[in-house]
Amino acid sequence: MHILVSNDDGVYAPGIAALAEAMLPFGQVTVVAPRENRSAIGHRKTMHKPLRIDPAPFPVKGVAAFATSESPSDSVAVALLGFIKEPIDLVVSGINRGANMGQDLTYSGTVSAAFEAVIWHKPAIAFSLVDFSENADYRPAAAIARQVVALGLYRNLPPLTLLNVNVPPLPLEQIKGFKIVRQGLRTYNDALITRIDPYGRPYYWIGGEAPSGDMTEEGTDLWATHNGYVSLTPIHLDMTSYAVMRELAAAGVERLVPGQVE
Ligand code: MN
């Protein structure tokens, strides 16, 4: 098996080394990831400037690693579109520094790397550690990642579907188990900070406290990790709201005469 590993924290982040090492027992491991931290970059496709790719020193023996100049999804795209010559069987992304739950998924470069993989018909799993601290311990999450890949669940995922996994910040023996859950509801505590630059012009920074969210609603990723479980959420790239489609149809939208307002 040949596993491609990417992330959004950058090729030199501790989480990607832990994940690459955890994948080694399955076969060949190749890392293609951004040179710098690209967290919260979303699913960016670089279209108007060149991409640069360089070999990167990597702390795990036996892993070939490359650093790209742009986004996580660019990194996965270049790898799958031919930069990596050997066929790739699975793409894993992470282990992200910090959770990717609820609405985080729309910002997340970690999850977007997995989105990019499923767009190119490769099974993909995103791994995040619910711990944003500088000295977070990635070993429990790496052991969980190895276990999830060993299960082989990714082989049966339908098209455009990935697995999103969040691991609580606990020693392995204190993690209670696994919960198959939906996306929960995040609350962002963002604040617009306005300051004045040395030339007298205002500049802006989106800051504030770390995001919180609803930990009480059972059956969500936020609830599961808050209660000491690993959350497993299958994510589909089809963002259509089927319920609202039916409502719009019931409201007669398709019978409208174009341009006519009653
Ligand atoms: Mn990140």
Side-chain angles (χ1 to χ4, degrees), residues 63-208:
V63 173
F66 300 90
T68 73
S69 55
E70 300 302 328
S71 75
S73 48
D74 288 329
S75 303
V76 169
V78 295
L80 297 182
L81 292 175
F83 178 75
I84 301 301
K85 302 290 177 235
E86 302 89 349
I88 287 159
D89 303 297
L90 171 67
V91 178
V92 293
S93 181
I95 300 166
N96 189 57
R97 177 184 167 190
N100 278 306
M101 307 189 290
Q103 303 97 294
D104 298 342
L105 271 64
T106 62
Y107 297 106
S108 170
T110 306
V111 177
S112 293
F115 277 149
E116 188 66 21
V118 299
I119 283 175
W120 296 105
H121 316 293
K122 296 292 180 191
I125 313 173
F127 293 100
S128 302
L129 176 62
V130 188
D131 187 348
F132 196 68
S133 58
E134 197 79 60
N135 54 359
D137 182 3
Y138 290 91
R139 287 171 300 181
I144 296 293
R146 182 178 300 188
Q147 187 180 11
V148 168
V149 170
L151 273 173
L153 300 170
Y154 61 88
R155 289 196 199 96
N156 302 318
L157 291 173
L160 297 182
T161 307
L162 62 91
L163 271 185
N164 185 42
V165 179
N166 282 273
V167 180
L170 297 169
L172 205 49
E173 62 276 11
Q174 286 176 30
I175 296 177
K176 288 187 197 153
F178 296 82
K179 290 285 181 190
I180 302 155
V181 288
R182 64 184 181 278
Q183 282 176 264
L185 269 184
R186 267 283 190 226
T187 307
Y188 294 102
N189 304 303
D190 293 344
L192 182 64
I193 294 160
T194 307
R195 292 192 179 142
I196 304 296
D197 76 13
Y199 306 99
R201 287 174 28 151
Y203 66 92
Y204 305 92
W205 208 294
I206 298 172

